[in-house]
Amino acid sequence: CSATQDAELKSTIDKVVNSEKVVLFMKGNKDFPQCGFSNTVVQILKSLNVPFQTFDILENNVLRQGLKEYSSWPTFPQLYIDGEFFGGCDITLEAYQNGDLQECLEKAMCS
Amino acid sequence: MGVSKEDVEGILTSAMKPTHLQVVDTSGGCGASFEIEIVSEQFEGKKLLERHRMVNAALAEQMKEIHALSIKKAVTPSKWNPIPKVQEE
C-alpha cells in the first residue's frame, strides 16, 4: 500500500542525505548541470573546495517527488548539509555571500 | 492556464502584507518563471530558510505551474536598505 511505500521512500532519502556531509539533488550532474540554478550551487560548492555528492533528479521521478515532500521545498536544486536541508539556489547564494554557508560547511566537516 | 505576475503579486500581498514587493516575470510572458523581492514584518525573527518557506507556502498552489521561482530578497522592513548609489568624488 502507498503508506508503506512512502515510509520506505522517506527512509531511503534519510540514508541518502546522510551518506555524505554535503549532498546536492540537482538537474544534471556536477560536470553537466542541466539548469542554471543547479549550476550556480555546483560552482559555489566547487569554489569552496568541499567534497560533495550529487544526484540527478531528472533520472528519478519518484525521488524527485519524494524529496519535495521530504524537505517541504517545491523546487530544485536542494542542498543538504550534515543530513539537514539547507536550501535552494537563492538561499545558498545569499548564505555564500554573507559567509553563513562557509561557517555551516566548516561545522559539518569538523563534526 | 498559466500564472500571471498579477496573480503572484495579489497572493503575496494578501498573505504577507508586504511593505515592499517586486515581482518580475522572467519567463518572457509564459508566466512560469518569476523573480521576487519582498519586505514584510512577518519575517521578523525568522531565519532565511523559514522566510523562503513562507513565500513558497503562500504560493503553494501556483508552484505546481511555476517552473522557476527566484526569491532575491525576503527581509524585514528594518533590514531593507536598498544599496545607495555610490557617488563618484
Side-chain angles (χ1 to χ4, degrees):
Chain A
C1 82
S2 82
T4 322
Q5 280 178 348
D6 284 355
E8 262 174 41
L9 182 57
K10 187 183 175 296
S11 106
T12 304
I13 295 174
D14 272 334
K15 274 184 208 134
V16 173
V17 299
N18 283 292
S19 63
E20 290 249 0
K21 297 279 184 181
V22 184
V23 177
L24 181 66
F25 296 95
M26 60 180 287
K27 296 184 179 175
N29 60 53
K30 65 172 97 174
D31 297 317
F32 294 99
Q34 305 273 335
C35 148
F37 297 98
S38 289
N39 183 45
T40 299
V41 177
V42 166
Q43 295 314 319
I44 288 172
L45 292 174
K46 281 187 174 173
S47 81
L48 294 173
N49 275 320
V50 287
F52 64 102
Q53 177 73 41
T54 64
F55 291 91
D56 185 355
I57 51 99
L58 294 176
E59 288 182 351
N60 188 334
N61 200 44
V62 176
L63 181 67
R64 181 180 189 166
Q65 296 310 322
L67 277 165
K68 289 185 185 183
E69 283 183 30
Y70 182 86
S71 57
S72 336
W73 195 257
T75 53
F76 290 92
Q78 293 189 3
L79 178 64
Y80 291 75
I81 300 174
D82 234 353
E84 294 249 342
F85 179 59
F86 184 82
C89 175
D90 297 323
I91 287 183
T92 306
L93 183 59
E94 193 169 329
Y96 172 64
Q97 286 165 344
N98 67 24
D100 287 352
L101 177 64
Q102 291 85 327
E103 198 181 303
C104 187
L105 286 170
E106 245 167 65
K107 242 187 248 169
M109 292 306 157
C110 295
S111 66
Chain B
M1 220 187 76
V3 179
S4 73
K5 174 175 175 288
E6 288 72 24
D7 293 340
V8 175
E9 283 171 345
I11 290 156
L12 289 177
T13 300
S14 60
M16 307 295 303
K17 308 276 181 288
T19 56
H20 165 85
L21 175 65
Q22 186 181 315
V23 178
V24 181
D25 185 338
T26 51
S27 70
C30 78
S33 171
F34 299 96
E35 266 183 25
I36 292 172
E37 251 183 28
I38 182 165
V39 182
S40 167
E41 290 285 357
Q42 293 181 19
F43 293 137
E44 194 63 56
K46 301 277 198 298
K47 285 185 190 162
L48 181 62
L49 178 61
E50 295 174 73
R51 286 180 261 139
H52 280 236
R53 281 198 195 284
M54 289 165 76
V55 176
N56 285 331
L59 293 170
E61 197 54 37
Q62 288 66 36
M63 286 308 292
K64 291 171 191 164
E65 291 184 56
I66 296 173
H67 296 182
L69 182 72
S70 181
I71 305 170
K72 291 289 174 196
K73 277 265 175 286
V75 295
T76 55
S78 59
K79 288 273 171 61
W80 173 240
N81 302 311
I83 299 159
K85 282 254 166 70
V86 177
Q87 294 283 325
E88 290 274 340
E89 291 281 324

